[in-house]
Amino acid sequence: MSEKVKEPLFSKKNKKLITDPLSENNPVTVQVLGICSALAITVSIEQAVVMSLSVLFVVATGNVVVSLMRNLIPDRIRIIVQLVAAASLVIIVNEVLKAYLPDMAEKLSVFVGLIITNCILMGRYEAFAMANKPWPSFLDGIGNSLGYGWILVVVSIFRELFGTGKLFGVQIMGDAVEGTGAYSVGYMNNNLIILAPFALFCVAIVIWVQRSINKNLIEH
């Protein structure tokens, strides 16, 4: 009688759960999910990083919780149970931010609470965690959150740098008042980039670059 071979924790299949969402199956640029927060909170890198980490915690932990309960949840109320799990985790994130990063909690305000409406979150709970074991579900949550997070960080770098001349709140372009650095040769901050509609252009540029590099993503 042959023994069943145990799959390694980081088998090729499990590694793809993390790497695929970074490019081939990115939740933002390929699946076009989570766009709202990409537009709303990418004014600064700090906000993008904190939001990405918050989503990572809610998606990865929620995936594990839903996976553990998947055989116990009646099919008729599975969405309600998933929402309760998501809401509980979002409350934890919100309270931690208020306790340790009150300024950031105020800046992100309602957007942290709106994580529960993030399409990526409910999509992973329903499409993956309900059909897989806890460990693959955890990796799936990590992968999709990282795929979501790097898009937010790239967009926020562009918007903060060219919108305010800063990165992480530190002056990079020089001093606009004293006319030093890039400002000495006539550079001016573009306030249009700070506005949410311009974030659409940033996301579109990222999608264009990504599909130019990876021809498999081009739809015919």
Side-chain angles (χ1 to χ4, degrees):
M1 184 175 179
S2 61
E3 294 184 4
K4 187 177 180 180
V5 179
K6 189 175 181 180
E7 183 180 12
L9 289 179
F10 292 99
S11 63
K12 186 177 179 180
K13 179 183 174 183
N14 285 342
K15 287 179 180 176
K16 285 176 70 68
L17 295 174
I18 296 179
T19 57
D20 274 5
L22 300 180
S23 177
E24 295 282 340
N25 200 20
N26 187 278
V28 179
T29 59
V30 178
Q31 300 178 34
V32 197
L33 301 175
I35 293 291
C36 298
S37 55
L39 307 183
I41 56 86
T42 50
V43 177
S44 74
I45 301 176
E46 286 180 312
Q47 290 184 191
V49 170
V50 172
M51 177 59 85
S52 299
L53 292 175
S54 302
V55 170
L56 187 151
F57 173 75
V58 175
V59 177
T61 308
N63 258 9
V64 173
V65 172
V66 172
S67 176
L68 288 170
M69 298 192 301
R70 69 188 190 284
N71 295 324
L72 306 174
I73 306 173
D75 190 59
R76 290 179 300 171
I77 62 169
R78 70 184 192 285
I79 299 297
I80 296 174
V81 173
Q82 292 169 17
L83 285 172
V84 170
S88 302
L89 293 168
V90 168
I91 289 172
I92 292 173
V93 169
N94 202 29
E95 293 303 310
V96 170
L97 289 178
K98 286 180 179 178
Y100 296 101
L101 295 171
D103 292 340
M104 185 57 64
E106 186 175 347
K107 288 178 182 177
L108 292 177
S109 62
V110 297
F111 297 111
V112 172
L114 288 176
I115 289 176
I116 192 175
T117 65
N118 191 310
C119 304
I120 299 171
L121 179 143
M122 294 305 296
R124 300 329 298 169
Y125 288 2
E126 176 70 8
F128 195 91
M130 286 295 292
N132 290 277
K133 295 179 178 178
W135 177 245
S137 298
F138 177 71
L139 295 180
D140 177 78
I142 295 290
N144 279 277
S145 301
L146 292 178
Y148 165 82
W150 82 259
I151 298 295
L152 261 64
V153 170
V154 168
V155 172
S156 65
I157 288 174
F158 187 81
R159 294 183 70 191
E160 184 175 359
L161 180 61
F162 295 105
T164 66
K166 302 177 181 177
L167 283 178
F168 281 106
V170 177
Q171 281 289 352
I172 299 297
M173 293 295 195
D175 192 310
V177 177
E178 297 181 359
T180 60
Y183 300 103
S184 64
V185 293
Y187 175 79
M188 295 180 65
N189 293 331
N190 190 335
N191 293 329
L192 176 64
I193 295 178
I194 298 296
L195 302 178
F198 198 85
L200 272 176
F201 291 97
C202 295
V203 174
I205 291 171
V206 173
I207 293 174
W208 174 67
V209 171
Q210 186 185 19
R211 297 190 180 202
S212 298
I213 296 172
N214 188 348
K215 303 296 183 184
N216 294 327
L217 298 177
I218 298 177
E219 299 172 359
H220 298 284

